[in-house]
Amino acid sequence: MNEKPADLVLIDGPVFTADAVRSWTDAVAVRQGRIVALGAPAVRELIGRTTEVVDLAGTLMIPGFVDAHAHPVFGGLGRARCDLLGGEGEPAAPASAGAAETLARVAA
């Protein structure tokens, strides 16, 4: 192996690359937070002693932009209001919910 090993390798699953032609591959290698190789042949060459290898076992991998944040004003207002949409593990109230159900949610 001439190149430094990847930090992370994901293999054996369909991978949607989301490139301009919307192509697919079967493996991804990542080094220092950047994709450095696509496709099983190229990716397997970058597996080293310290590489974390994740076997996708046929599950789909898609790129994602994950951003968990709240704007303080809107987040605060949301927490100050009564949530009538349903709590954790509780379904949202149907649009036809009557006054009694709405009052029960307010009381809870």
Side-chain angles (χ1 to χ4, degrees), residues 45-108:
E45 290 182 12
L46 297 178
I47 297 174
R49 287 190 342 262
T50 61
T51 303
E52 177 184 357
V53 178
V54 176
D55 185 348
L56 296 172
T59 59
L60 173 65
M61 182 184 143
I62 58 174
F65 176 76
V66 180
D67 180 27
H69 76 278
H71 296 264
V73 172
F74 296 119
L77 288 173
R79 300 290 295 164
R81 294 185 180 134
C82 184
D83 180 9
L84 300 177
L85 296 177
E88 196 172 313
E90 182 182 341
S96 62
E101 184 170 344
T102 300
L103 289 173
R105 287 179 183 258
V106 170

